[in-house]
C-alpha cells in the first residue's frame, strides 16, 4: 500500500480522500499540522507527501524529504508557488491538480463582486436584525461596465464568460495571450486605466508579486473594484489599504491575502488577531474577505481527491509519466520535456 503523509488536513478533505484511498490502496496519513522544517520528520516512512497552498516546501524541507526516501510531492492545489520546484528537480517529482473546478473559483469571484457592488453583506446583516432600511445600500449595474481580467487561463476565461453574461465589456492582459480566442488583449497600463473592475487570475511568480502596488493603483480609475481569488502576493496589501483610505479604490474583494498562511482556514474568533493590516482591511465597509474559499465546492473536492490519487498511482504504479508533473521549466515550451511526453527528469 502506498503511504502518503497528508499535511494540513482539514475535516472537509477527509471524506473524499478516504474514499479514493480505499478505492486505490493508498493510505493517507492525515496530519493537522502544516509541512515545514519543524514538522517534516512526520513524513518519515512515507512514499509521498500530499500538501496544500500554505505548506512550506522549500529547499531545506525538500532535502529532508529526499533523505527520508519520499519520492513524490503531490500538491492538492493548482498553484505551486509554495514549492521550490527548482530545488526538487532531480530529487523529488512534483505533481499538482491543474484544474479541479475552474468554475468554482470563477463563480466565487463573481459572487464576491456581486456581493460587494450590491452590498449584499450589509443587507444580510441588517435584515437579520429586522433593519429594513435601504440607506447606504445603493450599488451599481455591472451591465455596461468594463472588467479587466489579468490572466486568461482556465479560470480567467470562465470568469470572462460569466462577465459577458452580465453584459460587461471585457478587456484582458496575459503574458501569453490565448491565440484561439476572441478576447480583447490590452497592455497592463491600458487595463489599469480603463477598467471599472479588475479581477486577478494569473499565478504568483517573481514577476507577478505585487503586480498591484501603489504605482499600479495610481494608474487605475477612481472607484475601481479589485477582485483577487488568485494569490495574496499579487497585491501589495499596504498599498491597497492606502488606496482604499484615499478613496481611490471603490472596493476590494479578497479570497486570498499575502500573509494568510498562519491565519486562514482556522477559527480564530476567540483570539486577538496580530495582523494589523488584515484587521484594518476587514474593518473597511467596502472590503470583503473570504478565507481562501473559492475552490470549496463538492465538485472540486471530489475532483481534487481523484486527480491526486491518479497522480500518485501514475508515479508509483504506472510508468511514472504524469501529465500533471511540474518542474521549473514549466511554461518554457522549448525546454519542457512533458510537452514531449517524457518525465521532467
Ligand atoms: P492557468 O495556468 O490556467 O492560467 C494562468 C494564466 O495566467 C495563463 O494564461 C498564463 O499565461 C497567465 N500568466 C502567467 N504569467 C502571467 C503574468 N506575468 N501576467 C499575466 N498573466 C500571466 O491557471 P488557472 O487554473 O486559471 O488558475 C489561476 C490561478 O488561480 C492559480 O495560479 C492559483 O493561484 C489561483 N487559484 C486560486 C484558488 C482559490 O481557491 N482561491 C483555487 C485555484 C486556483
Amino acid at each position: 500500500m502506498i503511504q502518503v503523509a497528508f499535511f494540513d488536513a482539514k475535516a472537509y478533505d477527509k471524506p473524499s480522500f478516504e474514499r479514493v484511498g480505499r478505492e486505490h490502496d493508498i493510505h493517507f496519513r492525515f496530519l493537522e499540522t502544516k509541512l515545514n522544517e519543524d514538522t517534516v520528520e512526520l513524513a518519515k516512512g512515507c512514499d509521498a507527501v500530499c500538501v496544500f497552498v500554505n505548506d512550506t516546501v522549500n529547499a531545506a524541507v525538500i532535502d529532508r524529504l529526499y533523505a527520508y526516501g519520499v519520492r513524490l510531492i503531490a500538491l492538492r492545489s493548482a498553484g505551486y508557488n509554495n514549492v521550490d520546484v527548482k530545488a526538487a528537480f532531480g530529487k523529488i517529482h512534483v505533481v499538482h491538480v491543474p484544474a479541479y473546478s475552474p468554475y468554482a473559483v470563477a463563480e466565487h469571484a463573481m459572487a464576491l463582486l456581486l456581493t460587494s457592488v450590491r452590498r449584499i453583506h450589509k443587507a444580510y446583516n441588517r435584515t437579520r436584525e429586522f433593519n429594513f432600511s435601504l440607506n447606504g445600500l445603493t450599488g451599481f449595474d455591472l451591465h455596461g461596465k468594463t472588467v479587466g481580467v489579468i490572466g486568461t487561463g482556465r479560470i480567467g476565461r470562465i470568469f470572462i464568460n460569466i462577465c459577458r453574461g452580465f453584459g460587461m465589456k471585457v478587456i484582458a492582459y496575459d503574458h501569453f495571450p490565448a491565440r484561439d480566442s476572441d478576447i480583447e488583449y490590452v497592455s497592463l497600463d491600458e487595463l489599469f486605466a480603463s477598467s471599472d473592475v479588475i479581477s486577478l487570475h494569473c499565478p504568483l511568480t517573481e514577476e507577478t508579486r505585487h503586480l498591484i502596488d501603489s504605482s499600479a493603483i495610481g494608474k487605475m480609475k477612481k472607484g475601481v473594484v479589485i477582485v483577487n481569488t488568485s494569490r495574496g502576493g499579487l497585491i501589495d496589501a499596504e498599498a491597497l489599504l492606502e488606496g482604499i483610505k484615499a478613496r481611490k479604490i471603490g472596493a476590494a474583494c479578497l479570497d486570498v491575502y499575502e500573509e494568510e498562511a498562519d491565519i486562514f482556514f482556522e477559527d480564530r474568533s476567540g483570539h486577538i488577531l496580530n495582523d494589523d493590516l488584515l484587521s484594518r482591511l476587514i474593518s473597511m465597509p467596502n472590503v470583503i474577505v473570504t478565507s481562501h474559499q473559492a475552490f470549496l465546492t463538492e465538485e472540486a473536492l471530489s475532483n481534487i481527491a481523484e486527480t491526486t490519487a491518479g497522480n500518485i498511482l501514475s508515479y508509483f504504479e504506472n510508468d511514472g509519466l504524469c501529465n500533471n508533473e511540474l518542474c521549473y521549466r514549466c511554461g518554457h515550451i522549448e525546454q519542457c520535456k512533458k510537452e514531449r511526453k517524457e518525465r521532467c527528469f
Side-chain angles (χ1 to χ4, degrees), residues 78-79 98 100 105 150-156 173-176 201-203 207-208 229-231 255-256 292 294-295:
Y100 34 88
V105 183
I150 301 181
T152 55
R154 282 170 287 254
I155 296 170
Y173 171 79
D174 194 303
H175 213 50
F176 309 97
H201 300 286
C202 60
E207 206 179 332
T208 60
T229 54
S230 198
R231 283 291 178 271
D255 185 53
V256 285
H292 210 131
F295 73 99

Side-chain angles (χ1 to χ4, degrees), residues 66-295:
Y66 186 59
Y68 297 150
V70 171
R71 291 296 173 261
L72 186 71
I73 296 166
L75 279 145
R76 49 183 194 279
S77 62
Y80 55 95
N81 52 286
N82 54 328
V83 178
D84 186 339
V85 279
K86 198 149 193 181
F89 193 80
K91 295 177 184 154
I92 305 187
H93 291 264
V94 182
V95 290
H96 74 148
V97 184
Y100 34 88
S101 174
Y103 300 99
V105 183
E107 289 173 15
H108 191 77
M110 180 47 88
L112 286 173
L113 178 59
L114 280 174
T115 302
S116 172
V117 301
R118 301 309 306 271
R119 317 281 189 262
I120 304 294
H121 52 309
K122 300 272 164 209
Y124 175 77
N125 284 331
R126 280 190 195 182
T127 53
R128 285 178 67 80
E129 294 193 351
F130 307 112
N131 173 355
F132 300 106
S133 155
L134 295 182
N135 290 338
L137 297 186
T138 309
F140 63 80
D141 292 4
L142 289 180
H143 184 269
K145 297 293 185 304
T146 298
V147 57
V149 176
I150 301 181
T152 55
R154 282 170 287 254
I155 296 170
R157 288 212 219 180
I158 293 166
F159 185 72
I160 286 173
N161 286 339
I162 294 173
C163 290
R164 285 179 173 160
F166 276 80
M168 300 183 83
K169 174 179 161 56
V170 178
I171 55 174
Y173 171 79
D174 194 303
H175 213 50
F176 309 97
R179 291 201 193 98
D180 57 333
S181 78
D182 58 352
I183 298 169
E184 182 186 342
Y185 286 101
V186 296
S187 70
L188 207 44
D189 279 357
E190 202 177 329
L191 184 145
F192 290 149
S194 314
S195 301
D196 302 296
V197 175
I198 295 176
S199 194
L200 305 178
H201 300 286
C202 60
L204 176 63
T205 61
E206 276 320 305
E207 206 179 332
T208 60
R209 185 173 298 281
H210 290 187
L211 184 80
I212 306 298
D213 58 8
S214 53
S215 148
I217 291 168
K219 295 171 189 162
M220 292 177 193
K221 272 187 173 180
K222 185 171 161 49
V224 62
V225 180
I226 298 178
V227 183
N228 188 7
T229 54
S230 198
R231 283 291 178 271
L234 295 174
I235 296 183
D236 175 350
E238 300 258 8
L240 181 77
L241 181 63
E242 287 313 311
I244 291 166
K245 282 160 66 178
R247 278 59 171 178
K248 176 78 188 247
I249 294 171
C253 306
L254 310 174
D255 185 53
V256 285
Y257 171 64
E258 189 164 16
E259 302 301 328
E260 71 180 49
D262 293 326
I263 302 171
F264 281 13
F265 299 109
E266 305 293 338
D267 178 359
R268 306 207 180 274
S269 54
H271 301 259
I272 308 281
L273 191 63
N274 286 328
D275 189 318
D276 290 353
L277 185 53
L278 181 61
S279 304
R280 189 77 174 100
L281 282 170
I282 289 174
S283 76
M284 293 288 176
N286 51 354
V287 175
I288 298 176
V289 175
T290 50
S291 53
H292 210 131
Q293 174 190 334
F295 73 99

